Amino acid sequence: MSLLDKDTQARIDSWLSSEYDKDTVSQVQKLVDNKEETELLDSFYKELEFGTGGLRGIMGVGSNRMNKYTIGKATQGLANYLKKQFPNQLIKVAVSYDSRNNSQSFGHLVADVFSANGIHVFLFKELRPTPVLSFAVRHFDCQSGVMLTASHNPKEYNGYKAYWNDGGQLVEPHDKNVITEVNAIQSVDEIKFDRVEANITLVGEELDEIYIQANQRLSIHPEAVEAQKDLKIVFSPIHGTGITLVPKMLEAWGFTHVSVVKEQAKPDGNFPTVVYPNPEEEDAMSMAMKFGQELKADVIMATDPDADRVGVAIPNDKGEYQLINGNQIGSLLAYYVLSSKKDKGELKENDYIVKTIVTTNLIADIGDDLGVQTYETLTGFKYIGELITKEQGKGTYLVGGEESYGYLVGELVRDKDAVNSCAFIAEMTAYFKSQGKTVFQVLTELYVKYGFYKEKLISLTKKGKAGADEIKQMMVDLRKNAPKTLGGIAVKEIRDYENQVSNNLISGETTAIDLPKSDVLQFVTVDGDVISARPSGTEPKIKFYCSVKESLMDKSQYEAIQAKLEQKVENIMADIVKN
């Protein structure tokens, strides 16, 4: 029996027509001739859709793959939508790309389609980080922007992040409306591929300087940087775009001792020195950590291919280098920014910070203690960007982030920014060092003051259509048979963000969740532990998050409490994954 349903077969047949170029037809025909039904099903069972990170998929032929036609169709659909949203206006878009295989050619393809539609394109001459694209949208007063990147995904992936006129990624209703326009395109002949050179302006290093100078003006303690300008910093771009701006930013900030990991300095879409170019992974950070140990670095940082995420390693009290996770980095940045501004008398009544629903509550504790409001959004930095735009003129965004290693200080862009974050992490390290403290010591002090938080993330990869169906079923099963206990601890509250309702299992009280619908379930135990289940919007994964907390009375208890919390997390995770 064939795996291919009627709709999938129809898509395959259409891709074998003369609408498509000979090479594409040949590749599809080869899959058909070889009866590679699983590959055909995964490649054609649906159209690529916008998730939390836009359009993202494996490169290759097919409606569910990243290629000339899916990218062309997405761009034509976006162009059609822009024309409807901004009638009788000169429409401008910014287009950039990272170091991934095909990113540059895809970027030029996107520029071609926009230009052919009479839209003016600001096209970057060379690869640049995602946050610089967001900055460019705002700087050039564009209505939209596109970044060609698959962020930290494996090398076979590429992606298409679409931005609106505020410099933030597409959110409702625009994301769904663009998909409607894309789906309305019935034929490849409707896609305008012929470049109009007059509609393209190339963007060079002149924008780098504007971006760097704007970030420099955000510096809180330039005097600490001056005092610690020889701070030993090790940086790796992990073969990505970070090399274009992170060293320049740190140098402009005033740091004179920045050492780049040479083996990972050159942009390369094959990411030859790592399994995954993801600074969340210990493997991806190992080369930078080894180099940092040799140099006795004060701080080690590494960015992902499009430089919107940054991983960090620091020396602990034993002089050993250890990775700190995204929740810890975000908490440290929040504490540094808020406490510094409070000490300088610069905090204002309407200042605020932002975290996502799966990010540590330590950030909110810090905000509450220092008198700054904490907003919470759905997972995905596009929601933080949306909130910053919504609050513009009413309040001032200071700092925010998510557990997946993405942060932003200040309002210059509407996306996570590892270039900006690297500068502030370095400044924070310098400031604490000038006070005679290490970053690790400050982190421990936060745990003593606010409670020892311990988090863990488990990602289960489920590839292809079968995997997507399995993930869907896992969420259905969790809703139908919600666990009553996790790790031996009673569950007191279930938050269902898809149905926008929270149920208190003890009181029986039901309350509405005032956030957009999202396929996320959260279980809160009687101990206050928060366990979340969420299908990824950008990868074929289902993610389970766990955050637990216990009092830390004294620094001397650090290792004992950490071990206790680690065991608690393991017990909880064993239950939630089993469920």
Side-chain angles (χ1 to χ4, degrees), residues 438-538:
T438 66
V439 172
F440 182 81
Q441 286 167 341
V442 174
L443 180 62
T444 307
E445 287 172 6
L446 293 182
Y447 287 154
V448 170
K449 186 170 187 179
Y450 302 110
F452 197 148
Y453 281 86
K454 190 76 182 172
E455 292 88 15
K456 185 170 183 177
L457 165 67
I458 291 178
S459 295
L460 302 181
T461 300
K462 308 284 183 181
K463 293 185 178 180
K465 184 180 187 301
D469 291 342
E470 189 179 347
I471 288 170
K472 239 181 233 180
Q473 191 57 47
M474 289 172 82
M475 293 301 290
V476 168
D477 292 344
L478 269 174
R479 284 189 169 90
K480 274 186 181 175
N481 305 299
K484 299 287 191 298
T485 63
L486 286 169
I489 306 156
V491 173
K492 75 168 184 180
E493 183 185 357
I494 300 174
R495 300 169 186 162
D496 188 337
Y497 290 85
E498 180 69 28
N499 294 310
Q500 297 174 302
V501 66
S502 175
N503 294 310
N504 189 307
L505 304 183
I506 296 172
S507 69
E509 186 182 0
T510 298
T511 54
I513 293 175
D514 188 23
L515 284 172
K517 285 188 176 187
S518 184
D519 191 12
V520 180
L521 282 170
Q522 278 189 332
F523 306 94
V524 183
T525 72
V526 291
D527 285 0
D529 312 314
V530 182
I531 302 94
S532 310
R534 169 185 165 263
S536 172
T538 59

Side-chain angles (χ1 to χ4, degrees), residues 37-53:
E37 289 201 343
T38 301
E39 180 62 26
L40 284 165
L41 181 66
D42 292 345
S43 299
F44 288 96
Y45 82 93
K46 66 171 184 173
E47 304 279 345
L48 275 178
E49 296 174 356
F50 283 99
T52 57

Side-chain angles (χ1 to χ4, degrees), residues 333-463:
L333 279 171
Y335 176 72
Y336 170 67
V337 172
L338 298 193
S339 62
S340 294
K341 285 187 174 289
K342 185 169 186 178
D343 289 347
K344 297 179 84 171
E346 293 177 1
L347 282 183
K348 301 187 294 295
E349 187 180 347
N350 295 324
D351 288 345
Y352 66 94
I353 60 177
V354 192
K355 63 179 279 294
T356 74
I357 58 173
V358 296
T359 303
T360 181
N361 285 323
L362 176 55
I363 291 173
D365 291 348
I366 292 165
D368 290 346
D369 182 47
L370 294 170
V372 176
Q373 182 174 1
T374 303
Y375 285 104
E376 200 167 62
T377 70
L378 292 176
T379 308
F381 213 93
K382 67 178 185 178
Y383 297 111
I384 297 179
E386 179 186 29
L387 179 64
I388 297 171
T389 295
K390 183 182 166 189
E391 291 298 311
Q392 202 163 4
K394 293 183 276 184
T396 302
Y397 166 86
L398 297 180
V399 61
E402 48 188 0
E403 86 303 327
S404 55
Y405 294 61
Y407 328 98
L408 174 68
V409 180
E411 299 182 336
L412 289 177
V413 304
R414 294 290 182 273
D415 208 343
K416 51 189 176 284
D417 186 344
V419 186
N420 160 283
S421 298
C422 282
F424 272 98
I425 290 164
E427 179 177 296
M428 172 180 75
T429 306
Y431 176 70
F432 292 146
K433 189 174 183 179
S434 68
Q435 292 189 320
K437 297 178 180 179
T438 66
V439 172
F440 182 81
Q441 286 167 341
V442 174
L443 180 62
T444 307
E445 287 172 6
L446 293 182
Y447 287 154
V448 170
K449 186 170 187 179
Y450 302 110
F452 197 148
Y453 281 86
K454 190 76 182 172
E455 292 88 15
K456 185 170 183 177
L457 165 67
I458 291 178
S459 295
L460 302 181
T461 300
K462 308 284 183 181
K463 293 185 178 180

Side-chain angles (χ1 to χ4, degrees), residues 196-423:
V196 177
E197 207 66 54
N199 289 339
I200 295 177
T201 298
L202 296 178
V203 179
E205 292 183 0
E206 66 282 355
L207 187 68
D208 296 350
E209 294 309 312
I210 296 168
Y211 168 78
I212 287 170
Q213 287 171 21
N215 271 281
Q216 275 182 273
R217 290 193 285 273
L218 298 176
S219 173
I220 303 171
H221 284 295
E223 78 289 347
V225 175
E226 175 59 31
Q228 304 290 339
K229 62 185 178 184
D230 60 348
L231 192 80
K232 291 180 182 176
I233 301 169
V234 163
F235 170 69
S236 172
I238 316 181
H239 307 290
T241 62
I243 193 64
T244 65
L245 273 172
V246 174
K248 277 186 187 177
M249 181 73 84
L250 292 170
E251 183 184 352
W253 217 264
F255 294 103
T256 60
H257 205 305
V258 180
S259 301
V260 176
V261 179
K262 289 179 184 175
E263 297 90 338
Q264 296 179 324
K266 186 180 178 184
D268 187 338
N270 292 314
F271 310 113
T273 64
V274 295
V275 178
Y276 299 112
N278 184 358
E280 294 180 64
E281 303 279 346
E282 191 172 343
D283 170 73
M285 294 287 295
S286 61
M287 198 168 277
M289 285 183 71
K290 184 172 180 289
F291 188 38
Q293 287 166 352
E294 290 169 5
L295 294 183
K296 293 186 170 51
D298 293 289
V299 63
I300 300 165
M301 298 182 284
T303 52
D304 67 344
D306 66 324
D308 63 354
R309 299 170 192 250
V310 56
V312 178
I314 54 172
N316 60 24
D317 281 350
K318 296 176 182 176
E320 302 163 338
Y321 285 84
Q322 71 173 65
L323 294 168
I324 52 175
N325 65 38
N327 287 300
Q328 293 169 320
I329 301 165
S331 299
L332 284 161
L333 279 171
Y335 176 72
Y336 170 67
V337 172
L338 298 193
S339 62
S340 294
K341 285 187 174 289
K342 185 169 186 178
D343 289 347
K344 297 179 84 171
E346 293 177 1
L347 282 183
K348 301 187 294 295
E349 187 180 347
N350 295 324
D351 288 345
Y352 66 94
I353 60 177
V354 192
K355 63 179 279 294
T356 74
I357 58 173
V358 296
T359 303
T360 181
N361 285 323
L362 176 55
I363 291 173
D365 291 348
I366 292 165
D368 290 346
D369 182 47
L370 294 170
V372 176
Q373 182 174 1
T374 303
Y375 285 104
E376 200 167 62
T377 70
L378 292 176
T379 308
F381 213 93
K382 67 178 185 178
Y383 297 111
I384 297 179
E386 179 186 29
L387 179 64
I388 297 171
T389 295
K390 183 182 166 189
E391 291 298 311
Q392 202 163 4
K394 293 183 276 184
T396 302
Y397 166 86
L398 297 180
V399 61
E402 48 188 0
E403 86 303 327
S404 55
Y405 294 61
Y407 328 98
L408 174 68
V409 180
E411 299 182 336
L412 289 177
V413 304
R414 294 290 182 273
D415 208 343
K416 51 189 176 284
D417 186 344
V419 186
N420 160 283
S421 298
C422 282

Side-chain angles (χ1 to χ4, degrees), residues 58-74:
I58 293 169
M59 291 177 277
V61 294
S63 60
N64 190 39
R65 295 287 189 250
M66 290 293 293
N67 53 61
K68 171 184 176 179
Y69 297 103
T70 53
I71 291 169
K73 189 176 178 181

